[in-house]
Amino acid sequence: MSSTTAQSLSRATTATFEELALLFPETELSPEQAAAPLDVGVSVEFRGPLTGRLVVRASQTILPAIAANMLGEEESKQLPLQRDALGEIGNVICGHVLPLIAGADKIFNLAAPVIHESGVLPQRDRDRPAAVVQVGVEDGRAEAVLYIFAGAAAGTASAA
C-alpha cells in the first residue's frame, strides 16, 4: 500500500466526516471505539483511469448522528435515511480521494452506493486494498477501504 494513497484516503475520509456529517473523526481510537463493531457497510464502484471500489464500513451506533447532521435534524431514527446518509458518505469520500490519487483533471464514473447490512462485503481473491483508514467517530468507528483493481481495463467496472 502506497503511503501517498493511504494519506489521500485519510484526508478524504476525515474531510468528508467533518464537512458533510459535521462530526470530528479521531485517528487515535479509544478502546471503546476500537471495540465497536463494523456492522453496516456501503460500497461504491468506480471506473475511469483507475477501476476499483471504495468501501465504507461503520458502527451502526454512529448512523443516527451522521443522518441527523446531514439532514439538519435533531435526531434521525429512520433506518432508510441512515443508510442513505452512509451511502452519501461513501460517494463523497470516493469523489474526493480519486482526484487526489489520479489527478484533478481525470474523470471517473461512480456507480450508485450499495448498502451491505451486515457490514460484510463479498471478497474476491484479487481484492487487496490499496489503502485502509480507520477513524473513531463518537462512540463507534468507521473504516474506509480503497480497492484498485490491477489489470482491469479502464472503462469497465468489476463485478461486485
Side-chain angles (χ1 to χ4, degrees), residues 6 12 14 17 36 59 72 87 94 110 115 120 127 131 139 150 155:
T14 301
F17 274 97
S59 303
C94 192
L110 277 59
I115 299 293
V120 177
D127 290 358
D139 59 349

Side-chain angles (χ1 to χ4, degrees), residues 72-121:
E73 296 178 352
E74 188 66 31
E75 184 176 336
S76 178
K77 294 183 180 183
Q78 297 180 21
L79 218 48
L81 290 177
Q82 293 175 11
R83 301 292 192 261
D84 286 348
L86 184 62
E88 188 59 19
I89 290 284
N91 226 4
V92 173
I93 292 172
C94 192
H96 279 127
V97 75
L98 293 175
L100 292 174
I101 61 175
D105 60 333
K106 304 297 188 235
I107 297 175
F108 288 89
N109 293 311
L110 277 59
V114 175
I115 299 293
H116 304 275
E117 295 293 333
S118 65
V120 177
L121 299 151

